[in-house]
Amino acid sequence: MDTPEDLMARARELVLQLQAAGHPPADIADKLNGRVSSRTIYRWAKGEHAPQQRSDLIALERLAEGLGA
C-alpha cells in the first residue's frame, strides 16, 4: 500500500520530469483534461501535497509515459 508520502514523491517526480521535457504546469493540467488545476500541479512539483485521488496519479503516470517524460 502506498503511503501519502509515496504518492507525493511519485507525483513530484512525474511533474518534474514533464517540466524538464518542456511542459509547464498549465499544459500538464490541460493535458489531464481538467482533473486538477495548474496550481495543484505546482503543489505536486513542490512536494506540498499528494494527489487526493489515486486516479489522478494514474492519469499523470499515463501522461508522462505518453509524452516520453
Side-chain angles (χ1 to χ4, degrees):
M1 184 87 168
D2 292 323
T3 67
E5 291 79 16
D6 293 337
L7 297 176
M8 189 179 339
R10 181 67 179 144
R12 183 174 192 273
E13 174 187 356
L14 291 166
V15 170
L16 292 178
Q17 287 174 1
L18 286 163
Q19 288 180 315
H23 303 283
D27 286 351
I28 296 168
D30 196 42
K31 287 179 169 77
L32 290 174
N33 299 319
R35 296 180 68 90
V36 296
S37 69
S38 60
R39 180 68 190 125
T40 296
I41 300 297
Y42 280 110
R43 288 180 181 127
W44 290 353
K46 289 181 167 187
E48 293 177 359
H49 293 283
Q52 292 182 352
Q53 305 290 327
R54 177 79 173 127
S55 60
D56 292 340
L57 183 59
I58 292 168
L60 185 63
E61 289 172 334
R62 288 183 180 154
L63 177 62
E65 189 176 290
L67 295 176

